[in-house]
Amino acid sequence: MARQRSSELFAQARQFIPGGVNSPARSWGAVGGTPIFLARGQGSRIWDADGNEYIDFVGSWGPLILGHSHPQVLSRIKETLDSGTSFGAPTEIETQLAREVVRAYPSIDLVRFVSSGTEAAMSALRLSRAFTGRDKIIKFSGGYHGHADALLVKAGSGAASHGTPDSAGVTSSFAQDTLVAEYNDLESVEAYLRAHPRKIAAVIVEPVAGNMGVIPPRPGFLEGLRDMTSKNETLLIFDEVITGFRVAYGGAQELYNVAPDLTCLGKIIGGGLPVGAYGGRRDIMEVVSPLGPMYQAGTLSGNPVTVAAGLATLELLRGPDTYAKLEAKGLSLTQSLEDAFAEVDVPVRVNRVGSMLTLFFTDQEEIAGWESVSRCDAQAYASFFHRLLDIGIYFPPSPFESAFVSLAHTSEDLEVTRESVHKAALAVKAG
Ligand SMILES: *Cc1c(COP(=O)(O)O)cnc(C)c1O
């Protein structure tokens, strides 16, 4: 497969952009090689700058649950564009999207839109500190909540791929109020709550971890967090930037039936355009400016084009059997991966919740948190990734990321993928 044009474009990009990319995971640091430059996407397919076609299981890292260039999403965007791109003043459709979020998430009474998941998590933290008057927060090792300073501590995929789990430039005064617990380990949370009574403003968690590879919560983990935080008057923040509208229309909180105090959203609600949102209980959200003293603002927040894409996406997700279809497609891909590696006798484990999944190269019984993730064979994943790419399947260019199946993946796509995965597994085995 010729990728000459991508190589040339990458060389040019590196002259003007750090590392040639605007987000580190795109540089393929974790799998090696030269990143492909993408030119076009349609449904489940993408085309690179050399015209090579791939079945895409990245979906722009989560937003594209309908696949690329869905005609109804594009037409809503174009319609909205004809009336202007931004006003920095209220528009009617922002309320429509807010109403839909509030309807779908019973834990959310009020919601504020921002322009990225990073902003959503950063703002939710500031709000939890403003509301509780406390300084410290607990996050989980391998949990990613965007690149706000206080959250760039043991932050999973992007940073881990580049060997710097803690970013340079994050001062110790920022990091010292961030306590890092182990995912799926309630005792590690309890220990901090005991050690710092009435000092912890919030626990922030991806209810299904998605940024150290997919890790489902063990039974009782989310319920345990809910109990502990309630007892300590600490807020529980679910970062559902990936899982919101992905694992169920009402997110992981619907799937596992645990209600957080605050929720972060992003990715899918922007229909492929830049977005984030945070929302929650009315008494907490009323601390947000202009109602309360916690300041947070954004020139392009609630941008009409983004909101239109989000509304169109959610409308389509409310169609018949959406989540049953995603479950079936996710299961099909999982079985292909498991079958292929069982056949060549290479030990793997696939973690999956609905349409998000990760293939781990490991003989461990369970991948439950960062410690077990870090013991998986990243080299084997890199080899698998490149073999698949060469036969036209685009998987995440990192062993620590989720693959995403979309509604656009047809049974034919999944059949082609099954055959390709078998070929790639044979090649991995051959070394
Ligand atoms: C992607 C992601 C973010 C950050 O969102 P951006 O829009 O990239 O800033 C935050 N939290 C989680 C769980 C994410 O997956």
Side-chain angles (χ1 to χ4, degrees):
M1 205 179 260
R3 301 208 192 93
Q4 187 54 32
R5 186 74 189 130
S6 278
S7 298
E8 288 163 12
L9 292 174
F10 190 46
Q12 285 173 25
R14 279 189 295 183
Q15 292 176 36
F16 304 107
I17 302 172
V21 293
N22 285 311
S23 197
R26 299 179 195 172
S27 72
W28 290 16
V31 291
T34 304
I36 51 173
F37 274 55
L38 295 181
R40 192 161 74 82
Q42 183 66 59
S44 62
R45 309 288 171 131
I46 48 173
W47 286 265
D48 70 15
D50 291 276
N52 301 306
E53 179 177 341
Y54 308 86
I55 300 177
D56 177 27
F57 289 102
V58 178
S60 190
W61 306 97
L64 301 183
I65 193 165
L66 304 172
H68 293 265
S69 309
H70 192 288
Q72 275 164 265
V73 177
L74 290 192
S75 72
R76 283 287 271 286
I77 290 175
K78 286 171 187 161
E79 228 170 77
T80 309
L81 267 179
D82 283 341
S83 304
T85 52
S86 177
F87 303 105
T91 57
E92 184 178 350
I93 58 174
E94 288 165 82
T95 308
Q96 291 171 13
L97 185 57
R99 185 187 293 131
E100 188 48 36
V101 168
V102 167
R103 201 191 61 73
Y105 290 73
S107 73
I108 300 181
D109 299 319
L110 294 172
V111 59
R112 170 62 65 79
F113 293 112
V114 292
S115 299
S116 69
T118 293
E119 269 185 89
M122 179 183 81
S123 307
L125 269 198
R126 184 184 304 142
L127 175 57
S128 67
R129 286 170 164 153
F131 180 78
T132 60
R134 301 175 182 181
D135 291 345
K136 294 191 184 303
I137 57 130
I138 296 176
K139 75 177 286 292
F140 293 91
S141 184
Y144 179 67
H145 309 287
H147 62 88
D149 284 316
L151 289 165
L152 266 188
V153 182
K154 304 235 159 108
S157 55
S161 301
H162 291 79
T164 50
D166 306 316
S167 170
V170 176
T171 62
S172 53
S173 63
F174 270 114
Q176 78 187 10
D177 282 330
T178 303
L179 307 170
V180 182
E182 295 306 313
Y183 192 78
N184 271 328
D185 178 355
L186 286 172
E187 182 44 44
S188 70
V189 179
E190 183 74 64
Y192 282 134
L193 289 169
R194 265 199 312 269
H196 305 280
R198 307 197 63 77
K199 289 276 192 308
I200 298 176
V203 173
I204 184 166
V205 63
E206 294 176 72
V208 175
N211 284 287
M212 50 177 152
V214 171
I215 303 187
R218 283 180 180 149
F221 178 60
L222 298 176
E223 293 85 345
L225 290 181
R226 180 66 284 179
D227 285 351
M228 284 176 192
T229 49
S230 295
K231 278 190 196 111
N232 287 275
E233 292 171 38
T234 291
L235 299 186
L236 180 60
I237 306 172
F238 276 6
D239 183 347
E240 298 227 42
V241 169
I242 288 182
T243 53
F245 299 97
R246 163 68 62 182
V247 298
Y249 193 74
Q253 51 197 277
E254 175 186 310
L255 187 63
Y256 298 102
N257 194 26
V258 176
D261 300 298
L262 292 173
T263 299
C264 303
L265 294 166
K267 298 193 169 120
I268 289 174
I269 57 160
L273 294 176
V275 81
Y278 64 102
R281 254 170 46 203
R282 182 174 301 275
D283 60 326
I284 305 172
M285 290 302 291
E286 283 179 347
V287 174
V288 177
S289 184
L291 289 180
M294 189 213 81
Y295 192 72
Q296 183 274 307
T299 302
L300 295 172
S301 297
N303 177 271
V305 186
T306 294
V307 168
L311 275 170
T313 300
L314 299 194
E315 209 172 287
L316 288 156
L317 289 176
R318 291 196 296 280
D321 302 328
T322 295
Y323 292 89
K325 286 179 198 157
L326 287 167
E327 169 68 24
K329 292 174 200 290
L331 179 63
S332 160
L333 178 58
T334 299
Q335 284 171 340
S336 297
L337 293 166
E338 287 175 346
D339 292 352
F341 285 98
E343 221 162 84
V344 297
D345 210 19
V346 171
V348 297
R349 186 153 293 280
V350 181
N351 277 5
R352 179 180 70 89
V353 177
S355 56
M356 55 189 287
L357 62 93
T358 298
L359 168 71
F360 293 102
F361 285 85
T362 184
D363 55 10
Q364 297 171 85
E365 287 292 306
E366 186 194 10
I367 302 296
W370 179 249
E371 197 274 329
S372 40
V373 168
S374 65
R375 284 192 283 127
C376 294
D377 185 347
Q379 259 335 100
Y381 182 88
S383 158
F384 179 63
F385 165 83
H386 283 290
R387 306 289 186 177
L388 269 187
L389 190 77
D390 286 344
I391 43 181
I393 308 282
Y394 185 59
F395 249 50
S398 162
F400 309 119
E401 298 281 2
S402 173
F404 294 104
V405 182
S406 77
L407 286 167
H409 288 96
T410 62
S411 39
E412 192 214 331
D413 290 330
L414 293 168
E415 194 44 46
V416 172
T417 304
R418 164 173 289 275
E419 288 159 21
S420 306
V421 162
H422 270 79
K423 281 184 210 152
L426 278 171
V428 168
K429 173 76 173 183

